[in-house]
Amino acid sequence: MPQSLRKKESVGSILFTIVNTTLLILIALACLLPFINVLASSFASTQEVVAKKFILFPTTFSLDAYRYILSTPTIFKGLGVSIGVTLAGTLVSMFLTALMAYGLSRRYLYGRTAVNFIVVFSMLFSGGMIPTFLVVKSMGLIDSYWSLILPVAINAFNMIIMRNFFQALPDSLEESAKIDGCNDFGVFFKIMLPLALPSIATISLFYGVAYWNTYMNAILYITDSNKWPIQVLLRQIVIVSSGMQAESTSVDVVPPAQTIKMAVIMVATLPMLIAYPFVQKHFVKGALLGSVKG
């Protein structure tokens, strides 16, 4: 290869690296700076929040917003509800999703094409809010925690990703296991699930985030305020704080509504931020493994 061409390739490679690195840094800052602003504003003082529109580091550290949010035991009850629903819902969803995905990945399953079509169809068209509410009510799930789990137990997109993962595994694994005496459940639990751990970790994160952020279903199906998850309670806190700020400007102990909103965002986001590093190493691998083959 000529020296000049090799030099041009080297210069082009350096320019690409510079442009690519700069672009990635800008994208990272665009994602990180708003989060830093939310975190800093939640710890800022009343005067600083009112005076500044964008804060990266509070000059006066204040915990008033968090004291206001955590001033009632109801918030801890809501946290308990959300944690319980997230853990139970993720387990139920993963179990049902894995079972359905494995069944639909078997090419010899009778009616497999029709069921796959129905699954894809459900991604484009749904029954709607009112029919779903009537179904939940007819099953006696109103004011039950199961109303936050069962109606959304299987996500079609997550199921398709996991089905594609199982399809990518060689059929010889199943044949060898059955020769050794395993039935279908033995193959699923002893062979397929251990191999699907990256996919399970990734989809569990998807389900966990969805259950943790449960809001609309709780508004529709839970009428008892003692059973509200954290997201609904945090919304009520924001509404109450905004109303108090508007009606009683002379009350100095009540933080500004904007500060409370920032603190609410941090309280709602922090558990997922803590959980993400534990599945990060499986995240990219699990998402890609199930999306290569259709």
Side-chain angles (χ1 to χ4, degrees):
M1 181 180 295
Q3 188 69 22
S4 58
L5 182 58
R6 188 176 302 173
K7 184 177 180 180
K8 289 181 180 179
E9 288 180 352
S10 177
V11 172
S13 178
I14 293 174
L15 288 176
F16 174 79
T17 301
I18 294 174
V19 173
N20 194 32
T21 303
T22 303
L23 183 61
L24 291 176
I25 291 174
L26 292 175
I27 294 175
L29 289 176
C31 297
L32 188 61
L33 288 178
F35 179 79
I36 296 176
N37 174 53
V38 170
L39 179 62
S41 298
S42 69
F43 287 108
S45 64
T46 301
Q47 295 78 10
E48 188 173 4
V49 171
V50 173
K52 299 179 181 179
K53 293 184 178 180
F54 191 83
I55 303 173
L56 289 180
F57 190 82
T59 55
T60 305
F61 191 80
S62 174
L63 292 174
D64 290 343
Y66 291 97
R67 289 194 188 100
Y68 179 75
I69 292 175
L70 303 176
S71 61
T72 170
T74 306
I75 197 73
F76 297 101
K77 185 180 293 185
L79 280 171
V81 170
S82 288
I83 292 172
V85 169
T86 300
L87 294 177
T90 302
L91 289 175
V92 170
S93 293
M94 280 309 310
F95 180 72
L96 296 178
T97 300
L99 278 178
M100 186 175 184
Y102 176 67
L104 293 178
S105 68
R106 302 300 91 187
R107 294 177 176 83
Y108 53 78
L109 178 67
Y110 181 76
R112 169 175 172 267
T113 303
V115 176
N116 280 322
F117 173 79
I118 294 173
V119 170
V120 175
F121 186 84
S122 69
M123 297 175 63
L124 305 176
F125 304 96
S126 64
M129 182 185 299
I130 295 177
T132 304
F133 176 83
L134 294 175
V135 171
V136 172
K137 184 178 180 180
S138 65
M139 294 177 66
L141 297 179
I142 298 297
D143 262 346
S144 169
Y145 294 130
W146 288 109
S147 65
L148 305 179
I149 297 175
L150 295 182
V152 291
I154 298 181
N155 180 276
F157 177 77
N158 293 339
M159 195 283 297
I160 291 174
I161 290 179
M162 203 160 194
R163 182 204 65 188
N164 292 345
F165 174 82
F166 285 131
Q167 282 182 346
L169 297 177
D171 295 334
S172 57
L173 291 174
E174 181 180 2
E175 296 169 358
S176 300
K178 288 187 174 180
I179 291 175
D180 291 336
C182 277
N183 56 19
D184 289 328
F185 283 101
V187 173
F188 175 69
F189 286 106
K190 295 180 181 180
I191 306 297
M192 298 301 178
L193 279 187
L195 294 174
L197 286 180
S199 181
I200 290 174
T202 302
I203 297 176
S204 295
L205 180 64
F206 292 159
Y207 277 126
V209 171
Y211 281 116
W212 180 260
N213 291 327
T214 295
Y215 172 75
M216 183 56 67
N217 284 353
I219 291 293
L220 292 174
Y221 308 138
I222 305 295
T223 58
D224 185 357
S225 60
N226 292 322
K227 296 182 178 180
W228 278 347
I230 188 65
Q231 305 297 342
V232 180
L233 285 176
L234 293 177
R235 173 183 176 272
Q236 295 300 111
I237 291 175
V238 170
I239 291 175
V240 171
S241 66
S242 298
M244 293 178 66
Q245 186 69 15
E247 297 171 6
S248 180
T249 55
S250 61
V251 181
D252 296 332
V253 295
V254 179
Q258 188 66 19
T259 305
I260 293 180
K261 290 177 183 178
M262 299 302 181
V264 162
I265 293 173
M266 292 307 305
V267 171
T269 307
L270 188 60
M272 290 298 104
L273 292 178
I274 295 174
Y276 179 76
F278 294 99
V279 296
Q280 182 181 9
K281 63 180 180 180
H282 301 296
F283 188 79
V284 175
K285 182 180 179 183
L288 293 179
L289 283 176
S291 61
V292 176
K293 295 184 179 181

